[in-house]
Amino acid sequence: MAIHEVFMPALSSTMTEGKIVSWQKSPGDKIEKGETVLIVESDKADMDVESFYEGYLATIITPAGEAAPVGNTIALIAETQGEIEQAKQKAASATPATPAAVAQPVAASPVAATAVAATPTPKNGRIIASPRARKLAKELNLDLAILTGSGPNGRIIAEDVETASGRPAVAPTPSQIPAPAVSKPVAAPTPVAVPLGQVAPMNTLQNAVVRNMTASLSVPVFRVGYTITTDGLDQLYKQLKSKGVTMTALLAKAVAVTLQKHPILNASYVENGIQYRAGINIAVAVAMPDGGLITPVLKNADQIDLYSLSRTWKDLVERSRAKQLQPDEYSSGTFTLSNLGMFGVDSFDAILPPGQGSILAIGASRPQLVVSADGSMAVKRQMQVNITCDHRIIYGADAATFLQSLAKLIETHVQSLTM
């Protein structure tokens, strides 16, 4: 018999505290091993927290709506009903645990933290799967125990369930796609009413942005601008828009294909050298309705067709706004796009994200009077792009040749993006 502490888990490498969105169990409720006990708001998403233990939720120390530092005790689980009162007395007399105190190995203490969906390490034969995977497996009457997870640390994700059930794990070919309704542009976040004359506390996502941007200030960066003619790109978008292709997918695909020839722009600085990435994962900045921003990632964007990229992007945006992204879906980017052109912005500079070597800021495409080399004039649509690079590993010539290649692809070979 024992009383187990539930600690505030670290759902990401940058998380220092978490806010409890809701408790899925009430004091006195029976808890099964592996069952979701609460939902925690991390830096970027809401994550399920599951129990390693079977027992009873004896007492809640940190109620829903409140935050606690990573490692602090937020609840107690009693193995038997007879220990519930003992656990309540322990909670009333004990001082909150500090992160340093619980940083010791679990073996050194008779209590342990609950398992966290974001850092799934199989223990005691427990199946680690995302909530979406569990829901889909239940719908398909599929036993998760027979599956091998392809997610972070062996986590079973929805795609694993789809593959095992015979559902297509990848999107159908363009010829199989019925023409959907014209997709709507991503709406600007609705302004939130602010208490004028007062200090409004930041949410966890906004605090994460503060930490990341502060860390970025220590990196020596430089910026290079380039003007790209977009007549061909705009025309291609008009042709494909009715089939569900988004401008974000077109731009991500163009950048990813260009990065194949310029791997240094997809690399990052590490203490012992330059980390060249095995894959090209394009992160795209998205403003959140309640403040802050998140960067959903289009993985291996250079290898995925435009139709699949567009569907994936739509799904990522919807789930990011609902705070349902898994950490790997917003933290695995190797190159970032920030597009404010949809808001009519002509040009801007973007701040380099931690752990990456480059970010591209994209302005609006506008009609411009252009004078050619022979002196003739014509009206063409052009957009201004500005790239910010880590000068420790990327130099001016690297950025300039990358932008030249990107411009050449968009201006003269844009149709190749559909192949």
Side-chain angles (χ1 to χ4, degrees), residues 51-357:
S51 176
F52 272 154
Y53 309 106
E54 179 180 339
Y56 297 86
L57 182 59
T59 184
I60 292 174
I61 298 173
T62 305
E66 293 189 7
V70 168
N72 269 31
T73 302
I74 57 177
L76 295 178
I77 294 176
E79 286 192 0
T80 66
Q81 285 183 308
E83 294 173 303
I84 292 179
E85 189 59 35
Q86 180 184 348
K88 291 180 179 179
Q89 294 174 3
K90 178 180 178 180
S93 61
T95 56
T98 63
V102 297
Q104 303 171 10
V106 170
S109 171
V111 297
T114 56
V116 181
T119 54
T121 303
K123 295 185 179 182
N124 303 324
R126 189 168 69 87
I127 298 171
I128 308 299
S130 71
R132 290 183 67 219
R134 290 183 185 277
K135 180 179 179 182
L136 184 58
K138 184 176 181 180
E139 292 174 355
L140 299 175
N141 195 27
L142 186 67
D143 185 3
L144 289 173
I146 66 175
L147 303 185
T148 299
S150 62
N153 300 312
R155 179 186 180 83
I156 298 173
I157 58 178
E159 287 78 2
D160 300 324
V161 178
E162 290 176 342
T163 301
S165 67
R167 283 190 177 187
V170 296
T173 60
S175 62
Q176 298 172 314
I177 305 172
V182 176
S183 58
K184 298 180 181 179
V186 177
T190 304
V192 179
V194 296
L196 299 181
Q198 302 178 32
V199 175
M202 290 186 170
N203 59 35
T204 53
L205 179 55
Q206 290 171 318
N207 281 320
V209 173
V210 170
R211 291 193 297 272
N212 287 340
M213 295 303 97
T214 301
S216 295
L217 294 178
S218 64
V219 178
V221 298
F222 70 96
R223 300 170 179 85
V224 178
Y226 207 95
T227 301
I228 300 177
T229 299
T230 63
D231 289 329
L233 178 68
D234 295 333
Q235 183 60 37
L236 180 62
Y237 176 56
K238 289 180 181 178
Q239 295 172 4
L240 301 179
K241 184 178 180 181
S242 62
K243 298 180 181 179
V245 172
T246 66
M247 180 57 76
T248 295
L250 277 168
L251 292 171
K253 181 74 171 180
V255 168
V257 170
T258 305
L259 286 172
Q260 291 177 333
K261 302 176 182 179
H262 302 269
I264 189 62
L265 274 294
N266 195 51
S268 64
Y269 170 84
V270 292
E271 289 187 3
N272 59 341
I274 302 174
Q275 176 66 59
Y276 285 93
R277 309 288 188 167
I280 298 175
N281 299 338
I282 305 299
V284 185
V286 173
M288 296 291 280
D290 56 349
L293 60 86
I294 193 169
T295 53
V297 178
L298 290 166
K299 298 179 182 178
N300 301 312
D302 58 320
Q303 301 174 22
I304 309 299
D305 66 86
L306 280 172
Y307 301 92
S308 298
L309 273 183
S310 297
R311 283 190 296 273
T312 299
W313 178 244
K314 180 181 179 181
D315 173 65
L316 286 170
V317 171
E318 289 176 351
R319 290 194 292 115
S320 67
R321 295 270 165 83
K323 296 185 178 180
Q324 294 177 348
L325 293 183
Q326 298 299 313
D328 190 54
E329 293 177 310
Y330 60 75
S331 62
S332 57
T334 59
F335 187 105
T336 296
L337 296 183
S338 182
N339 182 9
L340 292 181
M342 65 195 66
F343 300 109
V345 173
D346 292 317
S347 66
F348 67 103
D349 290 327
I351 298 177
L352 185 68
Q356 295 183 28

